[in-house]
Amino acid sequence: MSAKLTKEVQQQFIETFKTEPILIFSPGRINIIGEHTDYNGGFVFPAAVDKGIAAAIQKSDSGSCIAIALDLDSTIKFQLDSLKPSKEGSWENYVFGVVAEIQNKNKVIGNFNIIFKGNIPEGAGMSSSAALENSVVFGLNELFNLGLTKTEMILISQKAEHNYVGVKCGIMDQYASMFGIKENALLLDCRTMESKPYQIDFKDHQLLLINTNVKHSLSDSAYNDRRSACETIAAILKVETLRDVTEKDLVKIIDTVTPENYQKALYVIQEIERTQKAAKAIEENDLETLGTLIYASHNGLQNQYKVSCDELDFLVAQAKKNKHVLGARMMGGGFGGCTINLIAKTAAKSFGESASKAYQNKFDKDCSVYFVNLSDGTHIVK
Ligand code: GLA
């Protein structure tokens, strides 16, 4: 699948710029559990997948840079010395942001051309943005021998998202996309930025994604609001992040915060704990417990953190009605995108079909069912 995509950007690059490019594949990610915990210094449990962004990149001697988004059939020409963010929602902000953040580190790059194309559906909550940012920084590092480590690269990608895209994201997406390991998920401690790979083989069970195919507006501002609420509570508690507090600590300030924000902080503390328990359940091959934790995660995201939406809740309710589904929850930032389901292999296809039918009846639109393979992180394609 990614080979076809890479071939396509390569051919397009040669046709357009008459030279051989360096080819990069940068994957999207799923997340088993641990949502909205990354910017709270907590644990997450993501994995890179076999869908992502293929990019072709090479130096240019034309006196300027050109970036082409093949999916959107959109081309942009720009100068390296006069970068500023384009209007909100523009794809080029991912490219400009990465370039600007590389320059901020006093690294010198020359003019370049880049063509990219992806196969992660937009708004699926599978981090096409992190995949794109990582492909750009990885390509430029290679092209101009910048000597950046992978960790430096993902911090550049994250800053691009903060400063050019305007989403104050955590590090999960960029980390998973860059450091992914085939057939593994990564239990990542976002405070130390250290991860432990877990081989994912659920035997007669598997992970299944169902995309609501909706992305409600305001999701970016709601995301930033959640983050600042968490930071405010951490400041009241005089800790760096909510990772450093327990439910007992939180109870002590119950009268100083709004009930809504109290629930949000409580969710974060509980989700960090659930993520660690999920890792243990996987170690012990205890899929029942893993499923229960996944359902509890959704419950918290829906009722305490309030980042779900009707379409996601409906798909999780469908899962709950099916005895072959051990757990289901919304995945990613929220307000749309996918649910992730832990389901018996023999029932996956029929559940996908029945959930799709019910979804169509209820919302008068289609959802999409994806089977994904866990894959390696951002890499050069030879
Ligand atoms: C988005 C952000 C991540 C993370 C998730 C929620 O994907 O980019 O950093 O916060 O939402 O877990």
Side-chain angles (χ1 to χ4, degrees), residues 29 34-36 38-39 169-173 223 332-333:
R29 61 111 189 87
E35 220 64 87
H36 288 274
D38 59 352
Y39 52 83
C169 65
I171 199 65
M172 168 170 72
D173 304 350
Y223 184 94

Side-chain angles (χ1 to χ4, degrees), residues 29 31 34-39 44 125 127 129 158 161 167-174 223 330-334:
R29 61 111 189 87
N31 185 25
E35 220 64 87
H36 288 274
T37 47
D38 59 352
Y39 52 83
V44 292
S127 298
S129 21
Q158 185 192 27
E161 187 112 3
V167 181
K168 304 283 178 204
C169 65
I171 199 65
M172 168 170 72
D173 304 350
Q174 290 79 8
Y223 184 94
M330 55 150 277
M331 189 181 80

Side-chain angles (χ1 to χ4, degrees), residues 89-140:
S90 313
W91 66 265
E92 63 266 24
N93 278 336
Y94 297 102
V95 181
F96 292 177
V98 166
V99 171
E101 296 304 338
I102 290 177
Q103 290 171 335
N104 279 347
K105 283 185 75 88
N106 291 326
K107 297 275 180 188
V108 180
I109 59 170
N111 287 318
F112 67 94
N113 297 318
I114 183 167
I115 297 187
F116 64 87
K117 181 169 176 159
N119 56 6
I120 308 172
E122 212 210 307
M126 291 166 73
S127 298
S128 51
S129 21
L132 174 56
E133 291 149 3
N134 280 355
S135 75
V136 177
V137 69
F138 202 87
L140 291 173

